[in-house]
Amino acid sequence: MIAIHLALLAVWALRLELRLVFALQNQNTVSFFIAATATTFGTVYSAVLVFLTQTLAMRRSLRTRQMLTATHDSAAAWAGISSAFLQLWQQRAVRRSTIGVASILVYLGTISALHIITSTLFFLDTFNSSQTVNIPTRGLPAYNYFAYDPSKEEDRSRVQQAILDLHKITII
């Protein structure tokens, strides 16, 4: 799991995902493939993560010296997010294992949110790509001399400068 996180971090940091370009006719297929892969990965990853965490937490809970009700409450909370919420709700009378059950509820809630948003983390952004085309020019750029007022000195100097620039272009 650490290797997967490092690989995803490297892809993000190097922005490798932006280098993949697909044709528009393949958009539906690739988009479906990305969504299906992300959902499958998220489901398997979440299941493995919950299994490992649950196993390690239950081992610790059984080895820790605590009241039997606290061990029972944490074991019952690991049955699911609803069970964890119910166990926390029932902790109003006995506050001994409230922190343990609350942490299980937060963990399972976070995993549920991660499972829901995993498929939206990766998506295919569609765009029309422009192709670069070299078009040969057939003459010099045209300047609009009529936009200037010849009665103003500053406009006359602009026109003269534009004419000089045209001559420089043709000389080069």
Side-chain angles (χ1 to χ4, degrees):
M1 286 191 265
I2 294 171
I4 292 171
H5 277 115
L6 290 176
L8 288 175
L9 184 64
V11 167
W12 172 78
L14 298 173
R15 302 183 64 81
L16 295 175
E17 76 277 6
L18 298 178
R19 296 181 185 170
L20 295 175
V21 179
F22 300 100
L24 283 175
Q25 60 264 22
N26 298 334
Q27 174 201 358
N28 290 338
T29 306
V30 174
S31 180
F32 171 76
F33 179 71
I34 289 172
T37 303
T39 304
T40 303
F41 172 75
T43 302
V44 171
Y45 181 76
S46 298
V48 169
L49 199 61
V50 168
F51 173 74
L52 290 175
T53 306
Q54 179 183 15
T55 303
L56 293 173
M58 290 307 298
R59 283 183 188 171
R60 182 183 176 277
S61 180
L62 291 173
R63 290 183 182 156
T64 304
R65 186 179 168 111
Q66 63 184 358
M67 295 181 67
L68 185 59
T69 56
T71 304
H72 173 268
D73 291 342
S74 67
W78 277 109
I81 193 166
S82 298
S83 298
F85 183 74
L86 182 63
Q87 288 299 319
L88 190 62
W89 184 260
Q90 291 175 351
Q91 291 299 319
R92 293 178 304 176
V94 181
R95 301 229 181 244
R96 194 76 171 149
S97 60
T98 305
I99 295 173
V101 173
S103 64
I104 293 170
L105 177 65
V106 168
Y107 179 79
L108 292 176
T110 306
I111 290 294
S112 297
L114 180 66
H115 175 68
I116 291 169
I117 65 168
T118 299
S119 61
T120 61
L121 292 177
F122 303 100
F123 60 91
L124 179 65
D125 194 15
T126 59
F127 63 94
N128 287 333
S129 64
S130 301
Q131 294 182 352
T132 310
V133 178
N134 291 329
I135 300 174
T137 57
R138 297 185 185 242
L140 296 172
Y143 288 99
N144 186 3
Y145 297 109
F146 298 109
Y148 300 110
D149 185 7
S151 63
K152 294 182 181 175
E153 175 62 35
E154 113 182 22
D155 284 350
R156 280 195 308 256
S157 65
R158 283 187 197 161
V159 170
Q160 289 172 354
Q161 185 62 40
I163 291 171
L164 289 174
D165 290 343
L166 279 174
H167 288 297
K168 287 179 186 175
I169 293 173
T170 55
I171 293 172
I172 293 174

